[in-house]
Amino acid sequence: LTLKTCRILWNAPYSFWTDSFHRISLFNRLGDQLGYVAYENWYRASLDDVKSHGGSSLLSRYYKDSLFMALTEIFPEYPWLPWKFKAVPKNFWAASLHRISFFDWLGRELGMIFSCV
């Protein structure tokens, strides 16, 4: 993103982000600029990365300052794992389904086999 583009995004009217084209374009340009060539690369990103490139109002207005929530909408074809980000959405771990999903995933990653008796 150029400085001019960032200024435009910072001063963009509220309605600017209602068009999904603008939301997708921001993340595509940011990914290119950060050298991300695979979805997995996005797990290294931070909220500050997006905010410092003009996405502050986008994150706060549409995604509750959650990179996970943003990327699941921007790139729905990829099976995002919230726990691989630097931070999970607020109250994420309060849901038992999320805790179960995490431990199922962790078990597979560690090569553990579970059986119910």
Side-chain angles (χ1 to χ4, degrees):
L1 297 171
T2 65
L3 184 58
K4 181 180 176 184
T5 304
C6 286
R7 281 193 193 126
I8 291 168
L9 296 177
W10 282 320
N11 296 317
Y14 183 82
S15 61
F16 180 80
W17 295 120
T18 59
D19 186 339
S20 63
F21 172 80
H22 297 299
R23 296 191 304 264
I24 293 166
S25 294
L26 172 75
F27 280 89
N28 282 333
R29 285 193 307 267
L30 179 58
D32 289 345
Q33 190 171 45
L34 296 173
Y36 294 172
V37 295
Y39 294 119
E40 187 83 14
N41 299 146
W42 280 103
Y43 289 123
R44 296 191 316 250
S46 68
L47 287 175
D48 286 340
D49 290 333
V50 179
K51 289 179 177 183
S52 67
H53 288 86
S56 184
S57 64
L58 171 65
L59 286 173
S60 64
R61 291 178 186 162
Y62 287 88
Y63 304 114
K64 302 178 184 176
D65 280 324
S66 168
L67 192 53
F68 167 74
M69 290 175 68
L71 290 171
T72 56
E73 180 187 285
I74 302 299
F75 305 116
E77 64 278 7
Y78 186 75
W80 297 102
L81 301 173
W83 48 83
K84 291 183 81 175
F85 288 94
K86 293 178 181 181
V88 295
K90 187 175 180 172
N91 297 321
F92 177 81
W93 296 116
S96 62
L97 179 60
H98 294 159
R99 295 189 305 271
I100 291 168
S101 295
F102 169 73
F103 283 109
D104 285 346
W105 170 83
L106 182 60
R108 287 189 304 277
E109 288 292 303
L110 298 173
M112 301 174 81
I113 299 172
F114 299 100
S115 73
C116 297
V117 181

